[in-house]
Amino acid sequence: MISLADLQRRIETGELSPDAAIAQSLEAIEAREKEIRAFVCHAKSAKAQGTSQAKTQGKAGASGPLRGIAVGIKDIIDTADFPTEMGSSIYRGWQPRSDAPVVMMLRRAGATIIGKTTTTAFASRDPTVTLNPHNPGHTPGGSSAGSAAAVAAGMIPLALGTQTGGSVIRPAAYCGVAAIKPSFRLLPTVGVKCFSWALDTVGLFGAGVEDVARGLFGMTGRLEFSDIVAATSPRIGVVRQAFAGPVKGAAEQGLSAAIRAATRAGASVEDIDLPEMVQEAWRIHPVIQDFEAHRALAWEFSERHDEIAPMLRATLDATVGITPRQYDEARRIGRRGRRELGEVFEGVDVLLTYSAPGAAPKGLSSTGDPRYNRLWTLMGNPCVNVPTLKVEGLPVGVQVIARFGNDAGALAAARFLENALAASS
C-alpha cells in the first residue's frame, strides 16, 4: 500500500516531487485497475489531471498539506470534473456542476482528485464489480467497495467513503486498511447523495492510522489531528455486542489478538456490557434508516422504480409501511441510547469491538453484514478500523470507538493498538 504519511515526509524533504507522487498513483492504477475494478472513472494521465486541478489550485503539488496526494472519491459524492453516477443506471453520465464541500476541502489542501471509486447503488447493498485485492473470490465489502479496495491494492494513498450502516469500517476490515468514520457531521454531507440524513457520515481510508489522521487534518485544518501520537496506557472497554448475533472464528481471533497485544503494551482492558437502551438503539437503527431512505429516494422510487437495483428495490418495497410514529419512537430511543452511552465513557477511554462478523465472505453476491457497525453509526461516535491479522489469507480488523467528538482520542488509541499489534507480530 501507499503510505500518505511517507509521501508527505518525502515531499517535505525534497526527495519526491508532488507531481512524481501523483504519477506513482497513476502508474499503480494503470497496473492494477483492470484486475481490481475499483474505479468508475479516473484520470488517464498526470497532464490531464493537472489541467483539471488548475481550476482550484494550479498544477498538482502547488501548495497545501495534501499536495502530491492522489485521492479517490466515492461515486455518491459530487465532483465537477467527473460524473457522479451513484452506482445506478438512473444517473448514468450525470455530471454535477460543482464539487461537494468535502471534495473542495481536499482540493484546497492541495490534494489531487484522481477519480471516482465504485459504490453500491445509492450506497445500499447491491454489490459492485470491485474485487477484494486479497482474494478476488471474496467480497471487498460495501458500500464503499472501490475506496477500500483502491487503497488496499496500493493504487492511491487516500480515499473518501460514506457510512450509513457499516460502509466505511466493514470494507476497511475486509480489505485490510485503516479507516475512520468520524463523529457525526464532523465532515459535511452537502453534495453527497442522501440515504439517511440522521446517519450518513463521510469517512476516510488509508494504509494506516497515521495516514487517515493526516488526511483528516489536511481536510479540516483542526490542530488536534496534526500530530496524532499513540495513547499511553489507554483504558479499553471490550464490547462483544452479543445482542447483534454470533461472530465467526476469524472475528474472535482478531479481537483476541488485539486484546492480548493491548494488554502486553500496558493498556488496562476490561469487558463491558452496554446499557439496555444502547442495545435497544441497535435494534431500531433500520427503522430510522429505511424511513429516511424512502424520503431521500422518493423521486427514484416513484418515477424510476424498476431501475432501482434489485436488493435496494426489495428493501424499499418491504419498508414502505413504516409510520411517522414508529420513526419518532426510534429517534427517541436513539437519543436515550446516546445519553446512556456517554456514561459508559466515564470509566473507559475507548471501546473495542469487532469490525465485522468475520473475514470477507466468499462470493460476490453480498457485501457482508453491517450488524457490528450500525449501532455506532446511529450513536454518532468516531470509529477507527485497525487491521489485526489474516485468517486464511483474508484480513480481519477491530474497531476502536471513542466518545462523540473525541476523534483525536479514537485515533490516538487506534495508533496505540496498531503499534502494539506490530510489536507482537
Side-chain angles (χ1 to χ4, degrees):
M1 289 186 281
I2 302 174
S3 167
L4 184 154
D6 180 62
L7 287 180
Q8 286 185 323
R9 284 188 280 265
R10 294 172 66 196
I11 289 170
E12 287 166 5
T13 61
E15 178 187 344
L16 183 72
S17 73
D19 286 329
I22 297 300
Q24 285 184 6
S25 282
L26 289 167
E27 290 169 6
I29 292 170
E30 180 66 24
R32 299 216 63 187
E33 171 56 14
K34 289 181 181 178
E35 171 194 355
I36 303 299
R37 295 182 282 184
F39 286 89
V40 179
C41 54
H42 58 83
K44 302 299 182 183
S45 68
K47 180 179 179 181
Q49 190 56 20
T51 300
S52 171
Q53 291 294 101
K55 296 177 182 178
T56 54
Q57 68 174 60
K59 61 178 280 189
S63 62
L66 296 181
R67 63 191 186 280
I69 303 301
V71 185
I73 306 295
K74 183 177 180 179
D75 198 29
I76 61 164
I77 302 173
D78 283 350
T79 46
D81 299 331
F82 297 99
T84 301
E85 298 183 334
M86 308 176 210
S88 173
S89 61
I90 297 171
Y91 289 94
R92 184 168 293 128
W94 171 251
Q95 179 61 66
R97 295 191 65 179
S98 64
D99 289 322
V102 285
V103 176
M104 283 302 299
M105 290 164 77
L106 286 162
R107 289 194 193 275
R108 287 174 173 172
T112 295
I113 309 306
I114 209 74
K116 303 301 287 288
T117 55
T118 63
T119 176
T120 62
F122 301 115
S124 185
R125 298 187 299 128
D126 296 81
T128 74
V129 299
T130 305
L131 303 179
N132 191 313
H134 297 272
N135 187 323
H138 291 250
T139 179
S143 60
S144 307
S147 291
V151 171
M155 290 191 270
I156 51 177
L158 187 68
L160 292 192
T162 63
Q163 179 160 310
T164 305
S167 297
V168 169
I169 298 298
R170 189 174 78 261
Y174 288 169
C175 292
V177 300
I180 183 169
K181 179 204 75 66
S183 293
F184 184 65
R185 291 294 186 263
L186 177 69
L187 297 176
T189 56
V190 178
V192 179
K193 178 61 174 175
C194 181
F195 195 91
S196 167
W197 55 87
L199 300 169
D200 296 346
T201 308
V202 176
L204 289 79
F205 297 87
V209 175
E210 183 183 9
D211 301 303
V212 294
R214 284 174 174 250
L216 201 54
F217 169 64
M219 291 181 71
T220 66
R222 293 176 177 268
L223 294 179
E224 62 265 33
F225 303 132
S226 64
D227 187 22
I228 295 291
V229 297
T232 302
S233 303
R235 299 172 300 162
I236 300 174
V238 177
V239 179
R240 284 187 163 80
Q241 300 187 77
F243 52 84
V247 296
K248 295 184 178 179
E252 191 59 50
Q253 288 180 51
L255 184 61
S256 296
I259 292 170
R260 288 194 301 271
T263 302
R264 283 197 294 266
S268 62
V269 182
E270 61 176 314
D271 289 331
I272 286 182
D273 291 323
L274 291 173
E276 182 177 342
M277 193 52 62
V278 178
Q279 299 183 38
E280 184 67 4
W282 174 86
R283 184 188 65 80
I284 56 84
H285 169 280
V287 176
I288 295 172
Q289 175 181 272
D290 294 336
F291 182 89
E292 294 185 350
H294 269 283
R295 278 109 193 118
L297 300 174
W299 180 83
E300 292 86 354
F301 189 74
S302 296
E303 304 298 325
R304 308 292 285 270
H305 178 273
D306 292 347
E307 296 175 65
I308 298 174
M311 289 184 181
L312 174 57
R313 186 172 66 240
T315 298
L316 291 171
D317 288 344
T319 58
V320 72
I322 297 175
T323 66
R325 184 175 181 177
Q326 291 172 308
Y327 172 72
D328 291 345
E329 176 60 20
R331 293 294 302 275
R332 280 192 287 271
I333 291 170
R335 288 193 292 271
R336 290 176 61 187
R338 290 186 194 98
R339 287 196 296 270
E340 294 192 8
L341 181 60
E343 296 174 4
V344 172
F345 285 101
E346 297 299 324
V348 296
D349 298 315
V350 294
L351 299 176
L352 182 69
T353 191
Y354 315 103
S355 287
K362 188 174 183 178
L364 303 176
S365 61
S366 166
T367 62
D369 195 324
R371 67 180 186 268
Y372 283 94
N373 315 116
R374 72 191 201 194
L375 171 64
W376 314 110
T377 311
L378 175 59
M379 295 294 95
N381 296 69
C383 306
V384 182
N385 179 70
V386 179
T388 55
L389 45 71
K390 283 188 175 182
V391 177
E392 297 180 354
L394 291 168
V396 176
V398 293
Q399 55 181 327
V400 174
I401 302 152
R403 185 190 292 271
F404 177 81
N406 189 19
D407 297 66
L411 288 162
R415 210 156 172 208
F416 165 87
L417 181 58
E418 185 180 63
N419 293 343
L421 286 160
S424 65
S425 62

